[in-house]
Amino acid sequence: MTGQNMQVVIVGGSLSGLIHAIVFQSLGHDVHVLERSPAESLHSQAAGLSAGPDVQKFINEYIKPKQLYAKTAGAVEVIDVEGGVINPIPSKDPYHFTTWSLLYNLFKSHFLAGDVAKAKYKTQKWVQEVKTDGDKLVVIYADTASDAQHELRADLVIAADGAHSAVRESVIPGISPQYTGFVTWRGAVPAAAVSEASRKALEGRMLMFRTDNGYTVSYNVPSDSGNLAPDDSQFIWVWYHKIDQNSQEFIDTFTDSSGKKHSTTVPRGKVDPEVWAKRQSSGAALSVPFAELIKKTTDPFVSAIRESSAPQTVAYDGKLLLVGDAFSLFRPHTGSSTNQTARQALELAEVFRGQKTLDEWQASSLGYARMTGAISKAFGEYCFTGQIPQSLAAAIKPEQQAK
Ligand SMILES: Cc1cc2nc3c(=O)[nH]c(=O)nc-3n(C[C@H](O)[C@H](O)[C@H](O)COP(=O)(O)OP(=O)(O)OC[C@H]3O[C@@H](n4cnc5c(N)ncnc54)[C@H](O)[C@@H]3O)c2cc1C
């Protein structure tokens, strides 16, 4: 798999699609990204994002940005209702927090700054099917603006089409992401809109507060345009909340303001104002800085959290590769999803430079997904309950354990 000047088609133009596009572009191949959504609608469900060590490595090696792209925090600090720290959970390396939109714009502009004949990013292109034709793959897609059908021939197809991947379904049917029993409400508030007292509590920190039925976290990120100055930064909050998926609360939460039902996310601007007003009123009982953030949020969005994992990442004799959420979708407690895809891309570069085999890449992807899926689940249990599950206890030093 070290062919020269391959035609690479990437299905999905979110972070996995762009990260892999940049890697294959740098290897000298022609790269064509097909993204289903219009560009503007992508940002309607974007908020803060943890940039783990492999995301940082990818950015340092491939993008080399002139400016910092993330704010850091050294620990997760669990706080009580008055904002006092109950226990800090230190991290070996600082957490890097940024935003989905900042990374998306950074990656997309880097990719499109390359040779225009070799780097294409097209929106409103909905891939329907991938099939074999001799030693090539054929990608069949619809232009959602005109309804016209098109096809592209490829030497390599990267399926980066997310958790509900149609490409994965066509080669490994039946992997449907399962509801984990909780939802996340999310929002962002500009630092300039927050009181001095709350800013002091929130700036440069990652806070966690437990509720009866879930927990909240907050962290400080740059503006979407990449400004890190405290006044221009924003505070991201996430409220994890358990809901039975057969309950009326679940049905109401995922029915938007126009009456349309959503299975995974009700995006910004579509949340039913009555549902949000109820959540905001429960928010008044949270620890002070969280109560203020939730009160001041005007455009929240809510997602039903699901998880899934495919048993393989390689299909069609190595011509089709599954990456990112299309391969394995984690619970979000450890913020590892983007790290997974950056790690896969960095290792794929080694495969296509002839330093590693595709079998080794697949084994490494599967091992990472197994381990990270288990850690995310166990850390989530700790976040919800304050009790350290057996599976996590072994990995935590006694002095870091919760009081
Ligand atoms: C718009 C958006 C905003 C997000 N914001 C955040 C955030 O703020 N914080 C966070 O932690 N995570 C966020 N995520 C999730 C995060 O991007 C992923 O968990 C992680 O980066 C792995 O990304 P992915 O590219 O594998 O999957 P995804 O980010 O889910 O991307 C999959 C992409 O494939 C496209 N697609 C799906 N089916 C097809 C098809 N048949 N043909 C063509 N294209 C298709 C989708 O439109 C989507 O753009 C967001 C995802 C999206 C899509």
Side-chain angles (χ1 to χ4, degrees):
M1 290 303 288
T2 53
Q4 295 300 304
N5 198 26
M6 293 191 297
Q7 301 296 317
V8 180
V9 173
I10 297 189
V11 184
S14 174
L15 300 186
S16 287
L18 284 166
I19 288 172
H20 284 82
I22 290 166
V23 164
F24 282 98
Q25 175 185 48
S26 87
L27 291 167
H29 303 299
D30 287 10
V31 181
H32 212 124
V33 180
L34 301 173
E35 165 56 44
R36 178 181 59 186
S37 303
E40 58 287 359
S41 85
L42 285 170
H43 298 274
S44 66
Q45 43 184 299
L49 186 129
S50 163
D54 293 301
V55 178
Q56 295 165 40
K57 189 168 179 219
F58 166 77
I59 293 175
N60 292 340
E61 283 182 18
Y62 286 87
I63 313 281
K64 302 181 179 70
K66 292 191 183 69
Q67 290 179 328
L68 293 174
Y69 58 88
K71 289 176 85 76
T72 56
V76 181
E77 298 175 75
V78 184
I79 58 169
D80 61 23
V81 74
E82 268 101 37
V85 177
I86 303 172
N87 73 298
I89 311 168
S91 166
K92 190 162 66 68
D93 300 307
Y95 295 102
H96 283 56
F97 294 118
T98 182
T99 75
W100 184 92
S101 294
L102 197 163
L103 289 192
Y104 174 82
N105 291 332
L106 186 67
F107 296 168
K108 191 172 163 193
S109 58
H110 182 91
F111 176 59
L112 293 178
D115 181 347
V116 287
K118 290 170 78 72
K120 297 195 171 65
Y121 183 101
K122 293 186 182 158
T123 52
Q124 294 184 273
K125 305 292 178 274
W126 189 333
V127 173
Q128 320 272 299
E129 195 184 349
V130 177
K131 57 184 189 187
T132 51
D133 181 14
D135 61 350
K136 301 268 184 193
L137 293 182
V138 180
V139 179
I140 298 158
Y141 65 94
D143 184 320
T144 57
S146 67
D147 268 350
Q149 290 273 338
H150 300 276
E151 55 181 58
L152 274 175
R153 286 167 69 77
D155 300 297
L156 179 70
V157 174
I158 305 283
D161 51 343
H164 299 276
S165 169
V167 178
R168 180 194 65 219
E169 183 61 22
S170 71
V171 284
I172 320 167
I175 296 169
S176 103
Q178 296 299 306
Y179 180 57
T180 54
F182 62 91
V183 306
T184 57
W185 282 94
R186 284 185 276 177
V189 182
V194 175
S195 69
E196 272 307 309
S198 290
R199 270 180 72 160
K200 225 170 135 202
L202 294 161
E203 255 163 26
R205 296 171 77 190
M206 180 176 188
L207 300 182
M208 181 194 292
F209 175 72
R210 283 196 188 91
T211 66
D212 288 347
N213 198 23
Y215 71 100
T216 54
V217 292
S218 71
Y219 49 92
N220 194 192
V221 297
S223 68
D224 284 339
S225 60
N227 199 330
L228 275 84
D231 283 353
D232 297 308
S233 69
Q234 15 176 5
F235 298 115
I236 302 293
W237 61 266
V238 186
W239 189 345
Y240 295 81
H241 177 64
K242 291 187 179 171
I243 319 185
D244 185 323
Q245 68 178 331
N246 299 314
S247 66
Q248 192 57 43
E249 184 185 2
F250 189 94
I251 295 165
D252 292 346
T253 302
F254 289 94
T255 305
D256 75 16
S257 49
S258 69
K260 184 178 165 195
K261 293 199 167 22
H262 297 257
S263 61
T264 302
T265 294
V266 185
R268 286 206 162 98
K270 293 274 167 68
V271 170
D272 182 333
E274 259 184 54
V275 172
W276 175 233
K278 269 194 208 153
R279 190 102 306 263
Q280 271 185 312
S281 98
S282 326
L286 298 175
S287 183
V288 184
F290 285 107
E292 180 174 343
L293 291 182
I294 284 158
K295 189 173 170 199
K296 290 186 169 164
T297 298
T298 51
D299 55 353
F301 62 104
V302 60
S303 304
I305 300 302
R306 300 180 189 277
E307 62 186 341
S308 60
S309 197
Q312 65 195 71
T313 54
V314 179
Y316 291 141
D317 288 334
K319 291 201 236 5
L320 173 65
L321 308 177
L322 295 181
V323 300
D325 290 357
F327 159 51
S328 183
L329 177 68
F330 306 128
R331 296 178 183 215
H333 312 284
T334 54
S336 305
S337 292
T338 310
N339 199 67
Q340 162 176 252
T341 200
R343 185 177 181 279
Q344 285 188 290
L346 290 166
E347 291 196 355
L348 265 186
E350 295 176 38
V351 173
F352 284 85
R353 283 193 216 107
Q355 298 158 333
K356 194 174 243 180
T357 67
L358 215 40
D359 282 348
E360 286 168 333
W361 175 75
Q362 174 167 256
S364 176
S365 294
L366 290 168
Y368 181 85
R370 241 190 328 269
M371 184 191 70
T372 308
I375 291 175
S376 297
K377 188 173 177 190
F379 187 62
E381 280 171 36
Y382 164 69
C383 295
F384 275 116
T385 62
Q387 308 297 316
I388 299 175
Q390 279 302 318
S391 51
L392 201 60
I396 301 177
K397 291 192 191 122
E399 67 272 18
Q400 294 172 1
Q401 295 193 3
K403 286 176 191 164

